[in-house]
Amino acid sequence: MAASALHSTGTAAMSLSLFLFATIAASSFSPADAQASSSCASHTFSSNQLYASCAALPRLGTTLHYNYTAAANTVAVAFRAPQPSKAGGWVAWGLNPNGTGMVGTQAVVAFRHSNGSLVAYPTLLGSYAPSMAPAAAAELAFPVSDVAAEYARNGKEMVVYATVALPGKGSKYTHVWQQGGSVVDDVPAAHPTTGDNVLSTGTIDFSK
Ligand SMILES: *[C@@H]1O[C@H](CO)[C@@H](O)[C@H](O)[C@H]1NC(C)=O
Ligand SMILES: *[C@@H]1O[C@H](CO)[C@@H](O)[C@H](O)[C@H]1NC(C)=O
Ligand SMILES: *[C@@H]1O[C@H](CO)[C@@H](O)[C@H](O)[C@H]1NC(C)=O
């Protein structure tokens, strides 16, 4: 009886150490290592689009999937975000080539139009109260093509696709992403200005 008690204690100690090891191994992945993590790599897209890399972004439960072509200085992206609200709302992702936050970002935004279509287009965030209007090609600071959007995971997510001709040299950029719960008169309305909604920016190296 003493022997069997000892034995079970030993087994418990062993599974505890295995548990600790697994926990330490899992937590040793830093946000940078989240690129190509299984949390985003396992996602499949509606038309089986394949992306060489993906990153689980640290705010708003979003992921960015991307294909970087260094020779052409372009990146094809798919930005996935949870549906912001039952009513719909909007999601957006963009690059800020000249700064670190929202202002100066050129984004792609997607939302459900009152006519029932999911619409997506490039827009310029020139101030903290941008118009959110579609930017004409001539207004863009850098070209964006193949802009499209769709629902995913039975309407639980929205996905925005775009191909960006990268401004400047190198593969490292400041990116900004966002979501808001309401669209008024077919214009995305202001997002919350606290918490994750003001922390959803970072740097990304498209070559990784
Ligand atoms: C990404 O690049 C791979 C390899 O070149 C290609 O097969 C795939 O179609 C590209 N995906 C997109 C969405 O452009
Ligand atoms: C809804 O409006 C958008 C924006 O004007 C347009 O691109 C889209 O084709 C419209 N969809 C329908 C079903 O009319
Ligand atoms: C960034 O700065 C460059 C050089 O001043 C300018 O040409 C470009 O339009 C700016 N980009 C944006 C998105 O404001």
Side-chain angles (χ1 to χ4, degrees), residues 72-88:
N73 209 23
T74 60
V75 67
V77 301
F79 171 68
R80 288 168 56 216
Q83 181 86 290
S85 72
K86 280 222 169 71

Side-chain angles (χ1 to χ4, degrees), residues 95-98 104-106 124 141-142:
L95 293 180
N96 188 341
N98 297 337
T105 295
Q106 181 174 297
L124 299 168
F142 47 92

Side-chain angles (χ1 to χ4, degrees), residues 88-104:
W90 56 271
V91 305
W93 173 88
L95 293 180
N96 188 341
N98 297 337
T100 53
M102 168 181 167
V103 176

Side-chain angles (χ1 to χ4, degrees), residues 35 54 76-77 117 177 203:
Q35 305 207 85
C54 70
V77 301
S117 294
W177 60 99
T203 57

Side-chain angles (χ1 to χ4, degrees), residues 49-52 67 76:
Q49 297 96 317
L50 298 175
Y51 293 90
N67 243 13

Side-chain angles (χ1 to χ4, degrees), residues 13-108:
M14 185 163 195
S15 38
L16 178 65
S17 65
L18 279 174
F19 172 75
L20 284 175
F21 176 78
T23 307
I24 290 161
S27 63
S28 71
F29 285 95
S30 68
D33 294 332
Q35 305 207 85
S37 78
S38 60
S39 64
C40 58
S42 62
H43 184 80
T44 53
F45 291 91
S46 64
S47 303
N48 296 321
Q49 297 96 317
L50 298 175
Y51 293 90
S53 312
C54 70
L57 305 181
R59 306 283 167 178
L60 305 173
T62 53
T63 59
L64 188 73
H65 304 251
Y66 53 96
N67 243 13
Y68 173 61
T69 308
N73 209 23
T74 60
V75 67
V77 301
F79 171 68
R80 288 168 56 216
Q83 181 86 290
S85 72
K86 280 222 169 71
W90 56 271
V91 305
W93 173 88
L95 293 180
N96 188 341
N98 297 337
T100 53
M102 168 181 167
V103 176
T105 295
Q106 181 174 297
V108 283

